[in-house]
Amino acid sequence: MDHRASPTVSSSSYTDSTPSDQHLDVGVESCRTSHMSSESSNNTQSEDGHLRAAHQPDQPEHTLQRQEHVITVMSNEQLKIHLKGDTVRHVTGPANVTMVSNSGPHTPLHIHAPQGHIVQQVYDESSGISRFILRPQHPSMNQRGTGPSVSGHRIHHDGYNASYLNGGGSSQHLPLSLQQQQYTGYSTQHPYPAGFQPQYHHHLMHGAVHHMVHNGNQNNNHILQHGVSAEDRVLSHHHRSVQGHRDKQVHSRRHKDPDIIMQHCYTNGSSAEVNERSLDLNSCSSSTDSHETSSEEERRIVLELLCSVPVPEVKVESRRAVIHITAPDIPDSLLSSDEAVCPEIQFQLQYTDKKDGPYKVVYEGDATTIEMQDLKPATGYYVRICAIFEDIRGNYTEPVIFETLPSPPDKPLKPKLVQTTKSFISLKWNAPADNGSKITHYLLEYYKGEQLPQSAYSTCYKGNKKEFKINKLLPSQCYTFRLSAVNGIGSSEYSDETVVCTKGVPPPIPNPPHLSESTTSSLLLTWIKRPGVDREFVLQQEEENTGHGFIAAYTGPEVSYRVDHLQKSTAYKFRLQAANDDGKSSWSTVVTHRTRADVATSPCKLTVKGKVTSRMFRLSWEPPVEDGGVDVESYVAQLDSGQGYIQVYEGPVCECSCANLLPGFTYKARVAAKSVVGVGQWSESVEVTTRPVVPGQCCKPWLHGKAKAHVLHLKWAPPENTGGAPIRTFRAQLVNADNTVRQVYQGPATDCMVAGLSPGRSYLLQVQAVNEVGVGEWSEPLEVISGPGVPEPPTQPKCLVKSPHVVVVSWLAPCNNGAKITEYKLEWLKPDQQEYILLSSGTELEYTAKSLLANTEYSFRVQAVNSSGHSPYSLPVTALTLPTSPSAVHHVKVTAVSANSIMVSWKAPDNNGCEITQYNIEYGKNMLQSVTDSCLTEALIEDLNPDTLYRVRVQAVNSVGAGAFSSPAKVSTLSLPPSPPNIECSGVTYNSVKLKWSEVDKCHRYTIWMCRGDPAAVPQSVYQGVAQFCKVSKLQECTPYYFSVSATNAAGDGSPSLPLTVVTTRTPPHSLKAPTVKEAGEDCCTISWQSAKTMLTGSIEYRLQLSEQEHSNSPLDYKQVYQGSGTSYTLSQLSPGTSYSVRVCAVRVCTEASADTIAGAYSPGVLFHTSKPAPAPTPTQPTDTTRPVNSQLAIFRERVMRAIQPDEAKQPYLVMAALLFVVGIVMAVVIPYLLSL
C-alpha cells in the first residue's frame, strides 16, 4: 500500500461525554447596586436556596475594571438564572453562561451547590474571566487523590490561562468526522491513542484566553494543584480564537453546543441590564459600535505578529500525526467594532515528503490542532504553517521535520503457484512493505479443501525465505493457502487465499471428430465430451499434398468447431486430443473429410457466329476459367424475348443455333456451364436483332358509327406482324358495285372519312400496311350499305335518382322511319346554363349521368339519330339530386414561402347541403396534413426540403364524406444559402487588386472579404454588390492579401470561399517634370531635373534619354545617355546647329537581390537647339537687326509644332480624355431615356 498520497487532515474534538445521573438545580441572580450606595454585600444565599452572586459597590470611573465569569453547565443538568425583574431563565446543559462586567473592581463570585455536586472555578487575572464548572461529584475523584470540591472560594492561577470547555455536550451536533474521533471516559489511563503525547499550549488573543487542555503526564501536577482533576479536562481539537472585548460588545464562539452570554453593564446612577443572546453556529457577533482602522502602521504590526508564529509542535504515530499551532496575539486596537464583522486568524498547513520537493496545501482554516491521517509508517515529512488575518498573510515558518513510527508489514499478496504434481505443490511470494521494521519471517498456512472454517488452518512453513515446496500431498486434491509477514512490530494481515489442486490421471484416447456440415470453404466438426474426464480439446488438421504435417486448428472446451478458409473439393485430415488438469491423452484416429465442390464460373466470350437472318442466328462461346473442382458436363443457353429467359439449348458443344424467331425482334442471349454440382454462373447477356420483312395482313376494318347517305367513318387496326420494322403508312381502297377500285386514303392514321357515297348503295372497303421493306397484303373486305330518313322524336324520358351524383335517365325507342336508329343523343340543362348541351350519345335506351352536383336540379331531353339525320327533341324531364360531400376547393394559393415551410390559403367550397368539418392538405406523396378547424382557410406546412417543388392540393370533408381535391398549386421552397463562387485575380498593382469570380444562380449579392498579412485574422468586407468583378484599392506594396467571396440569396448568406492569396507589386517612382536645359553651346549642354520622392525601400536613380530631331515632323528616336543618382548631366559631342529633345525618368533600385529595378514614367520631352558656329565677318554682311525677329519666329514655330504633335508621354492622357468625353455624352443621352421608361 502506498502511503505517499496526500494525508487526510481533520480538526477534531476530544470531549468528556460522561453522563450525569442527577438533575442539578443551580440558580444565579444578578446583583443590583447603585453608584451612590455605600453598602457592600458578600455572597448571600436566597430564600429558595439558589446561588446568588454579590459584587462590590461601584468604584470611581478611573478604577473600573472589566470582569467575566463563565459558568459551564454539564450534560443533563439545568441552571436557573434570575434576570432583571422577576424573569427566570432555565439553561439546560451542555451550555456555557458568561457574565461580563465593564465596571467595578474584581469581585469574587460565591457559588453554593447542592449535596453531591462540585463547583470548580478557574480565574485568569489578565483577561478577567472566571470559569465555574458545576456537575455531580464522581466517586473516583477522591480515590485518585483529588481534593474536595471548591465552593465559595476565589481561585487564582498566576501566569496560567484558563481553558474554555465545551461543557461535555453530546456529539450529535458535531460533524461526522469529529464524532468518529471522540475519546471519552473518566480513567487514570491516557484517553488518547497509543504514541500520542498531548501538550499544553498557552496563547493570549484579543484580550480573551483560549487554552487547549490535554490529559498528559508532564502537566498533570500543575492542573491538580488547582483542584481540577485530569479526568475532568476536555480535549478539543477544533476550537476558535476568541475576539477582543469592547464596551457594549457581545462575544461568541463557534461551538456545536449552544452557549448563553450575560453581560452586566454598570453605568452612573443606573442599574445593570441583562441582554441574552443565543450563539449562532456559523457566524460570530461583533460590537455594534463598529469602526475600521486600516492605516499602514496597524497593518505592519499585524504582519509582524503573523510572522512571529512559532513553528508547530507535532506528535507522531505510525500512520497519523497531530499538529499543534500557537496563535499570535492581535491587539484590541486593531480589531473592528462592527458586530457584523468578526475576523478570525486562519492558518494554512503545507507538507511534503521530500527535502526539496514542492509543498502541498492540506488544510486552511482557523483550527489550532490538526490531525494528519493516512501517512506512511517510518517516513520523514516536512510541515510548515503561515497565519492569515483578514487580507494579511504572514511568512511560512521554518519546516518541522518528523518521521512516523514503524508499524507491522502491509498485507502480502496471495502466494503464486510455481509447480504442481501428484504429490507436491511449490509456491512463491513477494515481500510486502516492511513499514520501517525488517521482516523477520513469514507464516504460510494451509488446509485441505476449498471452504472450511478459519480454525482449520495449520502452519506448513515459518521462515524468511520467499518460496516453499509442500510434499506428501494426495493426488487430485485441492489445498487452500494464505500468507502472513512478521517484523519487530507485529504480524501483518493474512493475504488472500490461494487454491491449488494436485494433478491426477490424464484422460484416455478420444473418438475421432465427426463431420456435421460441409461447404465449399469450411468443415463443421463435432466430438463427444466425457463428463468428469475431459476439460479441453486440441484439434489438428493436415492438408493433402502440402507437406506441412498436422497444424493446430482449435484448442478449447467446446465440442464443435468450424474450420474456415479451406479450398473447395479438397480432402483434409483431422485428429483430436483430450486434456484435463492431470495431462493430455494420445491422439485419436486420423479421419479424412472433403469440402464440397462449387459451381463453375461463367463461360467466356459469348458472341454471334455467322449471319443473322430474320428467323435464326448462331451463338458461340469458350469454356469457363474455373470449373469449381469438377468437370463441366454440358452448357445451357437461354433466350429472352421480353417475357423472361427460355432455355433453347443444352449440350457439351460450345456452339448452338437459335431458330423459329420473329423477324425484326431483339433477343437477349446468355449461357452457363453445368456440372454435377449444378448450373454455374451465367455469362453476360448479348443482344441480337433479327432482320425485318414486309408487314402481315391487316385485320378487317370496321365502321365508326353508321354509314350515312354520302359519307362514312372507317377505322382499322395495325397488323399483328409488322415484319420487324415500323409501319410507315396505311392504304384504303373502295370497291364499287361494278368492281371499280378507288383509293380513298393513304397516311399513317388508322381511320379515315370516306365521302362521295351514294345513298342505299353497297360498297367493299379494304386496307393494307406499308413498311420500309415493302407492301403487305390487303385485308378482308368490309361490306357497307348507306340508309335513308330521320326517325320520330322519342317519348318523354324518366329519371331515377340513385345517389347525390348519379341519375339514371331512360326512354322508349321511337319509329326509325325506314332506317335503323344508329344512336340517341341525350342533352341536359344545368342550373347555371341557359341552353341544353350534349350529355351522351349511343344506341342504349338509358344513360347513367354521373359526377352531378349534390342537392341540384337538372333537366334532360333526348334525340334519335339514324343514317338520314336527327329527330326532334323529346319533352324535357326534371330531377333533383341528394346532398353529398363538399365540392372541390378553389383558389388555393401559397401566401408565404421559406426554405423549410410554406403558408397555404384557400376559399371555402360549397358544402353541398352538409356543413364542412375539416380540410385535408396534400403536399406530396403520402404527405397529408389535416386542419380540424373548419373556420380556418389557411395552414402552415413545415419540415419541407429546401429548393424543392411541391404540388399542394386541398380537400374539404363533411359528415357525408370527403370532397374532391382542388387543382394543385405548385410552389418551390427557397433554396439554402448558395455555395461560394470561384474567385481569381485579374490584375494586381502596387496599391490595387482586380478580382473576378464565377456566377451563382439566383444570387442577390456578392461580398468580398479581405485579410492582410495573416490568413487567420478576422476578415473585413471590402465590396458588396451584384457585379462579378471589383477593384480593391488603397493597398500597400509588396504585401500579401487574402481574398474570399461569399454569395447571398433569398435564403441567406453563404459560406466564404477558400482564400485567394495576392501579393501587391512594388511602387514605381512618380513621373518627373520636364527637365531644364542650361548653357546650351555648339556641342554641349547641361540638363538638370527635379529630384523624385524617396521610397520606403531601395534607392532612386535617374535615366536620361536624348533624341536628335532632323525635321519638325520626323519621329523621335530616344537613346539613353545617362543613368545615375545625380539630378544634372552635361551632354557633350553634340552637333552644332541641331535640334535635340531630352526627357528623364526616375528608376527605383531595390535592395533585394532577387528584385528588379522599376522605372517610372518619362517626363515630357524638352526641345533645344545647339548654336551654329559663328560665320566669318564680310563687308557685305547685313546688320543683325533682323536676327531677333527670326529667332522669335523659330521659337514660336517650335511651340506650335510641340502642341500639335505631342510626345509619347502625353498620348495616353489624351486617349483617356477622349474616352471620358465619349462616355459622358452617352450617359447624358441614355440616362434621361431610361428614366422616362
Side-chain angles (χ1 to χ4, degrees):
M1 182 182 298
D2 185 9
H3 296 280
R4 292 188 178 274
S6 298
T8 303
V9 178
S10 63
S11 55
S12 58
S13 298
Y14 296 87
T15 59
D16 183 6
S17 58
T18 303
S20 177
D21 297 333
Q22 300 184 17
H23 175 74
L24 178 61
D25 187 3
V26 181
V28 177
E29 181 177 359
S30 59
C31 298
R32 303 173 179 83
T33 60
S34 174
H35 182 68
M36 301 298 295
S37 175
S38 59
E39 299 178 357
S40 63
S41 58
N42 297 325
N43 296 334
T44 59
Q45 182 76 19
S46 61
E47 295 179 0
D48 54 1
H50 291 165
L51 176 68
R52 297 187 181 275
H55 295 270
Q56 297 296 331
D58 293 345
Q59 299 296 324
E61 193 171 25
H62 63 277
T63 62
L64 295 181
Q65 285 187 348
R66 182 171 170 275
Q67 300 183 75
E68 284 192 8
H69 297 278
V70 180
I71 299 177
T72 300
V73 184
M74 305 306 295
S75 179
N76 298 326
E77 299 176 0
Q78 191 178 59
L79 175 66
K80 180 183 291 185
I81 302 173
H82 293 266
L83 304 177
K84 185 177 182 179
D86 297 332
T87 304
V88 178
R89 171 77 177 190
H90 294 274
V91 179
T92 303
N96 287 342
V97 179
T98 304
M99 300 174 60
V100 181
S101 174
N102 291 326
S103 62
H106 185 76
T107 305
L109 181 65
H110 295 266
I111 301 176
H112 297 272
Q115 185 68 26
H117 290 72
I118 63 172
V119 178
Q120 299 170 347
Q121 179 179 3
V122 179
Y123 177 72
D124 182 20
E125 288 282 1
S126 60
S127 62
I129 298 177
S130 296
R131 176 172 296 277
F132 299 88
I133 304 174
L134 293 86
R135 59 186 170 190
Q137 182 176 2
H138 199 276
S140 61
M141 295 177 64
N142 292 330
Q143 298 175 5
R144 294 189 297 267
T146 306
S149 62
V150 179
S151 177
H153 295 279
R154 178 177 180 183
I155 303 174
H156 296 275
H157 293 261
D158 297 332
Y160 174 71
N161 297 328
S163 301
Y164 269 163
L165 304 179
N166 280 341
S170 174
S171 63
Q172 62 182 351
H173 300 292
L174 297 176
L176 181 59
S177 61
L178 304 184
Q179 295 179 22
Q180 297 173 355
Q181 302 178 15
Q182 292 181 6
Y183 296 84
T184 60
Y186 286 97
S187 174
T188 56
Q189 299 178 357
H190 301 310
Y192 314 113
F196 176 73
Q197 300 296 331
Q199 300 291 327
Y200 294 101
H201 299 276
H202 307 274
H203 60 276
L204 181 63
M205 181 176 179
H206 307 309
V209 177
H210 276 244
H211 180 59
M212 174 69 70
V213 180
H214 291 259
N215 190 5
N217 294 328
Q218 56 186 339
N219 288 326
N220 250 357
N221 297 332
H222 176 69
I223 300 301
L224 290 176
Q225 66 181 354
H226 297 289
V228 182
S229 64
E231 289 78 2
D232 295 336
R233 291 187 301 272
V234 179
L235 179 60
S236 175
H237 277 238
H238 184 67
H239 63 279
R240 303 286 191 258
S241 299
V242 179
Q243 309 301 319
H245 294 276
R246 295 184 180 274
D247 292 339
K248 300 181 180 180
Q249 179 177 359
V250 179
H251 304 276
S252 62
R253 295 167 303 171
R254 294 184 185 177
H255 291 298
K256 298 302 178 180
D257 300 326
D259 293 348
I260 295 178
I261 298 178
M262 301 171 56
Q263 180 174 354
H264 296 257
C265 300
Y266 291 87
T267 58
N268 295 332
S270 61
S271 61
E273 296 182 355
V274 178
N275 299 325
E276 47 176 62
R277 298 183 181 179
S278 61
L279 182 66
D280 191 352
L281 299 181
N282 297 318
S283 64
C284 62
S285 59
S286 61
S287 173
T288 57
D289 299 331
S290 63
H291 63 276
E292 298 181 357
T293 59
S294 59
S295 63
E296 293 297 331
E297 182 65 22
E298 293 178 347
R299 294 180 62 87
R300 185 186 61 79
I301 296 174
V302 173
L303 180 59
E304 292 179 355
L305 292 174
L306 297 180
C307 295
S308 63
V309 174
V311 295
E313 298 183 6
V314 183
K315 297 305 175 185
V316 183
E317 295 183 8
S318 60
R319 295 186 182 273
R320 74 183 191 98
V322 178
I323 300 171
H324 301 272
I325 303 172
T326 302
D329 183 15
I330 302 299
D332 292 349
S333 60
L334 303 181
L335 297 177
S336 174
S337 61
D338 188 1
E339 293 186 2
V341 179
C342 185
E344 297 180 352
I345 291 184
Q346 304 286 323
F347 299 98
Q348 185 183 87
L349 175 65
Q350 295 183 348
Y351 94 104
T352 182
D353 55 357
K354 300 178 182 179
K355 182 177 181 180
D356 299 328
Y359 282 87
K360 299 179 182 178
V361 177
V362 294
Y363 175 77
E364 185 168 351
D366 55 0
T368 57
T369 300
I370 304 169
E371 179 181 347
M372 298 177 64
Q373 300 178 352
D374 299 332
L375 301 180
K376 184 177 180 180
T379 303
Y381 291 92
Y382 299 81
V383 295
R384 65 180 185 180
I385 62 169
C386 75
I388 304 171
F389 181 75
E390 294 183 344
D391 59 342
I392 306 174
R393 177 186 293 267
N395 296 331
Y396 283 99
T397 62
E398 291 295 327
V400 177
I401 305 173
F402 66 91
E403 182 176 355
T404 54
L405 302 178
S407 66
D410 288 347
K411 177 181 178 181
L413 299 176
K414 63 180 182 180
K416 298 179 182 178
L417 175 64
V418 177
Q419 184 182 4
T420 179
T421 63
K422 297 180 181 179
S423 59
F424 74 86
I425 295 174
S426 179
L427 300 175
K428 68 177 181 179
W429 55 87
N430 295 328
D434 57 6
N435 292 333
S437 179
K438 184 177 179 181
I439 296 176
T440 58
H441 61 274
Y442 298 94
L443 292 178
L444 181 64
E445 298 180 352
Y446 82 104
Y447 65 82
K448 181 179 178 181
E450 297 184 5
Q451 294 182 354
L452 286 177
Q454 300 293 330
S455 59
Y457 274 103
S458 59
T459 301
C460 63
Y461 172 73
K462 180 179 180 181
N464 55 4
K465 295 183 179 180
K466 290 183 286 186
E467 62 179 351
F468 183 68
K469 180 178 179 182
I470 304 98
N471 298 311
K472 300 180 180 181
L473 302 179
L474 298 177
S476 301
Q477 181 65 46
C478 293
Y479 294 88
T480 303
F481 298 89
R482 68 179 184 179
L483 181 69
S484 175
V486 181
N487 63 1
I489 305 302
S491 301
S492 68
E493 299 181 22
Y494 281 99
S495 66
D496 296 335
E497 296 177 345
T498 299
V499 180
V500 183
C501 298
T502 56
K503 293 185 177 181
V505 180
I509 300 175
N511 295 327
H514 173 70
L515 179 64
S516 297
E517 182 183 350
S518 175
T519 65
T520 58
S521 61
S522 65
L523 295 173
L524 179 60
L525 303 178
T526 59
W527 52 86
I528 299 174
K529 184 175 184 179
R530 295 162 291 189
V533 178
D534 302 331
R535 183 173 60 86
E536 65 177 7
F537 301 91
V538 178
L539 177 66
Q540 291 186 347
Q541 72 177 38
E542 180 186 19
E543 184 178 356
E544 294 181 352
N545 303 325
T546 59
H548 297 307
F550 282 94
I551 301 175
Y554 169 75
T555 301
E558 302 296 333
V559 295
S560 64
Y561 180 71
R562 180 179 295 274
V563 185
D564 296 322
H565 308 295
L566 304 180
Q567 298 181 4
K568 55 189 174 183
S569 188
T570 305
Y572 293 89
K573 294 181 180 180
F574 297 93
R575 64 181 183 180
L576 186 67
Q577 182 186 61
N580 58 16
D581 295 338
D582 302 322
K584 298 180 180 179
S585 69
S586 300
W587 292 102
S588 66
T589 305
V590 177
V591 293
T592 303
H593 299 294
R594 180 179 294 272
T595 55
R596 292 180 55 189
D598 199 1
V599 296
T601 58
S602 60
C604 304
K605 299 181 180 180
L606 176 62
T607 57
V608 178
K609 183 177 181 182
K611 185 179 180 181
V612 179
T613 65
S614 61
R615 294 292 181 178
M616 62 95 61
F617 58 84
R618 295 183 64 81
L619 296 174
S620 66
W621 59 88
E622 295 182 359
V625 178
E626 294 289 341
D627 57 4
V630 293
D631 296 334
V632 176
E633 295 181 350
S634 61
Y635 296 94
V636 179
Q638 293 183 349
L639 287 182
D640 181 15
S641 60
Q643 299 179 353
Y645 282 97
I646 300 175
Q647 181 174 335
V648 295
Y649 169 77
E650 182 176 356
V653 184
C654 296
E655 185 177 337
C656 71
S657 297
C658 302
N660 301 324
L661 306 179
L662 297 178
F665 205 84
T666 301
Y667 294 88
K668 292 182 179 180
R670 66 180 184 180
V671 66
K674 185 177 181 180
S675 64
V676 294
V677 180
V679 179
Q681 301 176 4
W682 292 98
S683 65
E684 295 184 359
S685 60
V686 176
E687 292 188 357
V688 183
T689 304
T690 57
R691 296 184 62 185
V693 296
V694 296
Q697 184 181 18
C698 294
C699 296
K700 183 178 180 179
W702 66 91
L703 288 176
H704 183 69
K706 292 294 183 180
K708 298 181 182 180
H710 302 284
V711 67
L712 61 86
H713 190 189
L714 183 65
K715 282 192 173 185
W716 60 90
E720 296 181 358
N721 182 14
T722 63
I727 302 297
R728 292 184 175 180
T729 59
F730 293 95
R731 295 176 183 177
Q733 66 178 6
L734 176 67
V735 180
N736 296 319
D738 56 355
N739 293 330
T740 59
V741 179
R742 177 169 62 93
Q743 183 173 336
V744 295
Y745 175 75
Q746 182 175 356
T750 57
D751 64 337
C752 69
M753 298 298 297
V754 180
L757 303 179
S758 300
R761 301 292 178 90
S762 178
Y763 299 95
L764 296 178
L765 297 171
Q766 291 178 306
V767 295
Q768 67 177 178
V770 181
N771 64 3
E772 62 181 9
V773 179
V775 180
E777 298 179 2
W778 288 103
S779 66
E780 294 293 330
L782 172 66
E783 184 177 0
V784 179
I785 301 175
S786 59
V790 298
E792 294 292 331
T795 60
Q796 184 180 14
K798 296 182 179 179
C799 296
L800 177 61
V801 180
K802 287 190 173 182
S803 69
H805 303 286
V806 179
V807 173
V808 179
V809 183
S810 61
W811 59 88
L812 299 177
C815 179
N816 57 16
N817 290 331
K820 185 179 180 181
I821 297 177
T822 59
E823 65 177 354
Y824 295 93
K825 292 186 177 181
L826 179 63
E827 297 182 351
W828 66 338
L829 180 65
K830 297 181 180 180
D832 56 348
Q833 294 178 351
Q834 300 295 329
E835 296 180 357
Y836 282 87
I837 60 175
L838 179 63
L839 177 61
S840 70
S841 62
T843 60
E844 300 294 333
L845 296 177
E846 68 175 15
Y847 177 77
T848 301
K850 300 179 181 179
S851 301
L852 304 180
L853 298 177
N855 197 25
T856 305
E857 187 176 274
Y858 294 90
S859 296
F860 301 91
R861 67 181 183 180
V862 68
Q863 182 185 47
V865 179
N866 63 4
S867 59
S868 299
H870 297 76
S871 70
Y873 288 99
S874 66
L875 296 176
V877 64
T878 303
L880 179 64
T881 57
L882 301 174
T884 184
S885 58
S887 302
V889 178
H890 299 285
H891 303 289
V892 177
K893 60 181 179 180
V894 178
T895 59
V897 182
S898 67
N900 298 313
S901 63
I902 58 175
M903 178 66 75
V904 182
S905 64
W906 61 88
K907 289 187 178 180
D910 188 4
N911 57 14
N912 291 331
C914 188
E915 185 179 359
I916 296 175
T917 57
Q918 72 175 27
Y919 293 94
N920 294 332
I921 304 174
E922 183 187 72
Y923 55 93
K925 186 177 181 180
N926 299 328
M927 303 171 77
L928 191 68
Q929 180 174 329
S930 299
V931 179
T932 57
D933 190 354
S934 60
C935 298
L936 296 177
T937 57
E938 64 177 7
L940 177 64
I941 303 176
E942 299 178 328
D943 299 332
L944 303 180
N945 296 327
D947 198 14
T948 305
L949 178 65
Y950 289 91
R951 296 164 57 91
V952 182
R953 300 192 303 172
V954 183
Q955 177 189 53
V957 181
N958 61 7
S959 59
V960 178
F965 277 99
S966 65
S967 299
K970 297 181 180 180
V971 60
S972 295
T973 54
L974 300 180
S975 61
L976 293 175
S979 301
N982 297 325
I983 186 172
E984 61 182 52
C985 177
S986 59
V988 59
T989 64
Y990 66 93
N991 62 350
S992 64
V993 173
K994 291 183 179 180
L995 303 172
K996 63 179 182 179
W997 51 90
S998 59
E999 184 179 3
V1000 177
D1001 295 338
K1002 301 179 182 179
C1003 179
H1004 296 170
R1005 184 181 70 252
Y1006 297 97
T1007 303
I1008 300 297
W1009 305 92
M1010 181 186 74
C1011 293
R1012 174 190 168 191
D1014 185 10
V1018 178
Q1020 59 179 349
S1021 174
V1022 296
Y1023 170 78
Q1024 285 187 345
V1026 297
Q1028 293 176 245
F1029 58 89
C1030 75
K1031 179 180 180 182
V1032 182
S1033 304
K1034 299 182 180 180
L1035 306 180
Q1036 296 182 3
E1037 65 170 1
C1038 296
T1039 303
Y1041 290 89
Y1042 303 90
F1043 297 94
S1044 59
V1045 60
S1046 62
T1048 303
N1049 61 6
D1053 297 332
S1055 59
S1057 64
L1058 295 177
L1060 172 67
T1061 304
V1062 179
V1063 180
T1064 55
T1065 61
R1066 297 184 181 276
T1067 305
H1070 298 285
S1071 61
L1072 302 178
K1073 296 181 179 180
T1076 303
V1077 180
K1078 300 179 181 179
E1079 302 177 0
E1082 294 180 359
D1083 58 350
C1084 63
C1085 181
T1086 300
I1087 309 297
S1088 62
W1089 55 87
Q1090 185 182 1
S1091 61
K1093 295 182 179 179
T1094 58
M1095 310 302 291
L1096 294 178
T1097 58
S1099 60
I1100 298 296
E1101 294 184 356
Y1102 303 94
R1103 186 178 297 168
L1104 182 65
Q1105 291 185 348
L1106 178 68
S1107 175
E1108 182 179 354
Q1109 189 174 12
E1110 299 179 357
H1111 306 286
S1112 61
N1113 296 330
S1114 62
L1116 299 177
D1117 184 14
Y1118 285 100
K1119 295 181 180 179
Q1120 181 175 337
V1121 295
Y1122 169 76
Q1123 181 171 349
S1125 59
T1127 57
S1128 64
Y1129 181 74
T1130 300
L1131 300 175
S1132 59
Q1133 298 180 359
L1134 301 179
S1135 300
T1138 306
S1139 298
Y1140 291 94
S1141 179
V1142 67
R1143 64 180 182 179
V1144 67
C1145 73
V1147 179
R1148 180 179 180 182
V1149 180
C1150 300
T1151 57
E1152 293 80 3
S1154 59
D1156 298 332
T1157 59
I1158 304 173
Y1162 278 95
S1163 66
V1166 175
L1167 185 66
F1168 68 93
H1169 304 273
T1170 57
S1171 59
K1172 296 181 179 180
T1178 57
T1180 61
Q1181 186 175 3
T1183 60
D1184 294 336
T1185 56
T1186 60
R1187 253 184 109 172
V1189 177
N1190 294 335
S1191 177
Q1192 292 178 1
L1193 291 176
I1195 294 174
F1196 178 77
R1197 183 173 64 254
E1198 291 175 359
R1199 291 180 178 177
V1200 171
M1201 294 302 297
R1202 191 185 305 168
I1204 296 176
Q1205 297 180 358
D1207 55 10
E1208 296 178 1
K1210 292 185 178 179
Q1211 288 181 2
Y1213 299 101
L1214 293 177
V1215 173
M1216 292 178 62
L1219 291 177
L1220 292 175
F1221 179 76
V1222 174
V1223 171
I1225 294 175
V1226 173
M1227 293 180 64
V1229 175
V1230 173
I1231 291 177
Y1233 174 75
L1234 295 177
L1235 294 176
S1236 63
L1237 296 178

